[in-house]
Amino acid sequence: MIDSLQAYFAALSVFGKTAVVLNVSLFFVAGFLFARIVPSSTEALNTKRSRLLRIMNVLLISIYVIDWLLNYLINDNGHTEFLKQLSQTGLVLLLGYLFTQFSHTWTIRKYGKQRTIDGNETKTRTYQSEMGYIIILLITIAVSLLLLINIWQVTSWLQATGVIGGILVILFGTKEAWAHDAVSGLIMLHQGQISPGVVCRIPEMDILAVIRRMSLTETTFHHLIQKHSIVVANSKLRAVPIEILNKTDTHHWNDFVEFKIGYVTPSEHVESFVQAVWQQACEQEKQLDVEKTPRLVLVNPGDHAVLWRLNYRVESVYRIMQARFAINRAAYDLQVEYGVSLATPLTHQPIN
């Protein structure tokens, strides 16, 4: 059997030998290829792409295995031309897939923008990179289609425009599933306000998260509190109000917390209390800088208490909630020591 397999491989054409060696090589280097050469934004996506490439390799190698088995068991050579066409078709699809992956990585490296997302430097997609990828993708599809038509010798289809017409019908019939999202994604990338690294609050979707990844069809968020991923279709994202909490290349964030303190506490006492709160919060949260002095303002002298607002700066926009939690905890812990009550007092005064 081994001798028969060696003889079969030696009898293959140059194309057949190249296809077998290429698929075997890609099967073993797929993980390295997508992790180092053309990496994506996430490890999970790298694994998914590697698995897809290996499946394609196995399917193409299986064609030659079946061909060898038929020759070895029943000495049937009538299938050779069909299997050759099938192998060439698979190789065209494989090379087209690899070319689009390499070209997309190249367009991001060439036209993408360097940004820091949660402390990690990364190249993110831009309007220019996605438009370049779309052009390359369309050219790849057109070239692959022409090659497949020549492989299967169905050039008459081009004359009857049956294939092109069928493709147009499919695209038109499925436009509701991809066209709105793709157009919305391009519009958002072109505007530049919503891009990877930006922290957003979307009240209608109960989202407070940083944008991790944007594609033509969907946007992936990373929740600031629960740390899970949220995937939203681009068309739905453009239909709701979005609060952009930081500029694209700005890492800090200006925030505030409010305290309701009774009228019996003088302002000097409140200032001392707030300074102590700030000192303790900075010890608990590393993204609060003790050198950046917060600002205390009286917002509203209400009926039962005075509303004080502490304005401060968080050095990392990804820690805005943790910083707020640290300040609230410090205020709760120090209220007894400074004789301040954070509970809104209920006061009644008799009318003479």
Side-chain angles (χ1 to χ4, degrees):
M1 182 177 290
I2 300 299
D3 294 338
S4 174
L5 186 61
Q6 292 176 345
Y8 172 78
F9 182 79
L12 286 176
S13 63
V14 176
F15 171 82
K17 293 177 180 177
T18 303
V20 171
V21 172
L22 179 64
N23 279 282
V24 172
S25 301
L26 288 175
F27 181 87
F28 288 105
V29 303
F32 175 80
L33 183 68
F34 289 113
R36 302 295 181 186
I37 308 300
V38 285
S40 62
S41 56
T42 63
E43 189 65 30
L45 186 56
N46 288 335
T47 304
K48 181 179 179 181
R49 294 160 75 188
S50 301
R51 188 182 297 115
L52 177 60
L53 178 59
R54 288 191 172 112
I55 291 174
M56 296 173 68
N57 297 145
V58 170
L59 290 176
L60 289 176
I61 294 175
S62 299
I63 295 174
Y64 291 94
V65 172
I66 294 172
D67 187 28
W68 167 70
L69 287 174
L70 292 175
N71 280 322
Y72 179 75
L73 296 176
I74 60 178
N75 196 24
D76 181 13
N77 295 319
H79 56 275
T80 303
E81 185 62 28
F82 172 75
L83 290 179
K84 180 181 178 181
Q85 291 176 319
L86 197 61
S87 174
Q88 291 175 340
T89 300
L91 193 60
V92 167
L93 297 178
L94 174 65
L95 294 177
Y97 172 74
L98 288 176
F99 181 73
T100 55
Q101 296 298 321
F102 274 89
S103 62
H104 198 196
T105 300
W106 177 81
T107 56
I108 293 176
R109 289 177 178 174
K110 179 72 174 177
Y111 301 106
K113 190 169 184 179
Q114 189 77 21
R115 293 191 175 101
T116 302
I117 302 178
D118 204 6
N120 298 319
E121 292 287 335
T122 183
K123 278 274 190 176
T124 60
R125 306 182 187 197
T126 62
Y127 176 77
Q128 290 79 6
S129 70
E130 293 306 288
M131 286 301 297
Y133 172 64
I134 290 176
I135 293 174
I136 293 174
L137 182 62
L138 293 176
I139 293 175
T140 304
I141 292 174
V143 172
S144 299
L145 183 62
L146 291 175
L147 289 174
L148 293 177
I149 289 174
N150 281 278
I151 289 173
W152 292 97
Q153 299 178 356
V154 287
T155 54
S156 59
W157 288 10
L158 285 177
Q159 298 175 355
T161 67
V163 176
I164 297 177
I167 293 175
L168 292 177
V169 169
I170 293 174
L171 291 176
F172 182 80
T174 59
K175 63 180 175 59
E176 294 296 331
W178 59 269
H180 293 168
D181 291 329
V183 172
S184 298
L186 288 174
I187 291 174
M188 288 190 293
L189 286 170
H190 178 67
Q191 291 174 340
Q193 292 180 310
I194 300 176
S195 59
V198 171
V199 178
C200 299
R201 181 188 288 119
I202 309 177
E204 292 190 16
M205 298 182 180
D206 193 24
I207 291 177
L208 174 61
V210 58
I211 298 176
R212 274 291 176 85
R213 179 176 177 268
M214 289 188 68
S215 67
L216 286 177
T217 57
E218 62 190 22
T219 299
T220 302
F221 295 87
H222 184 69
H223 202 280
L224 288 182
I225 305 301
Q226 298 173 323
K227 305 300 181 183
H228 62 274
S229 295
I230 305 171
V231 181
V232 181
N234 289 333
S235 58
K236 294 185 179 298
L237 204 57
R238 290 198 67 236
V240 297
I242 301 175
E243 301 177 22
I244 300 175
L245 302 186
N246 69 321
K247 296 180 180 179
T248 304
D249 299 314
T250 301
H251 305 301
H252 68 269
W253 166 251
N254 296 318
D255 203 358
F256 66 87
V257 294
E258 294 179 336
F259 305 113
K260 291 182 179 180
I261 300 176
Y263 278 92
V264 296
T265 307
S267 59
E268 294 82 4
H269 199 164
V270 175
E271 290 177 357
S272 300
F273 167 71
V274 167
Q275 287 299 325
V277 168
W278 178 250
Q279 293 285 338
Q280 182 166 314
C282 290
E283 295 175 1
Q284 297 175 357
E285 174 55 52
K286 62 181 180 179
Q287 296 302 332
L288 293 176
D289 188 355
V290 69
E291 300 296 331
K292 300 290 193 306
T293 305
R295 188 164 59 96
L296 181 67
V297 295
L298 194 157
V299 177
N300 180 31
D303 291 336
H304 302 289
V306 178
L307 181 63
W308 296 89
R309 177 176 295 173
L310 176 64
N311 297 285
Y312 60 93
R313 170 170 161 167
V314 185
E315 297 306 312
S316 173
V317 72
Y318 308 110
R319 301 285 296 180
I320 55 177
M321 295 306 298
Q322 288 79 358
R324 184 176 298 180
F325 296 155
I327 293 176
N328 288 333
R329 176 62 183 270
Y332 177 80
D333 292 341
L334 294 173
Q335 62 176 334
V336 176
E337 179 181 343
Y338 281 82
V340 174
S341 175
L342 299 180
T344 303
L346 184 60
T347 55
H348 297 279
Q349 292 184 357
I351 298 177
N352 295 329

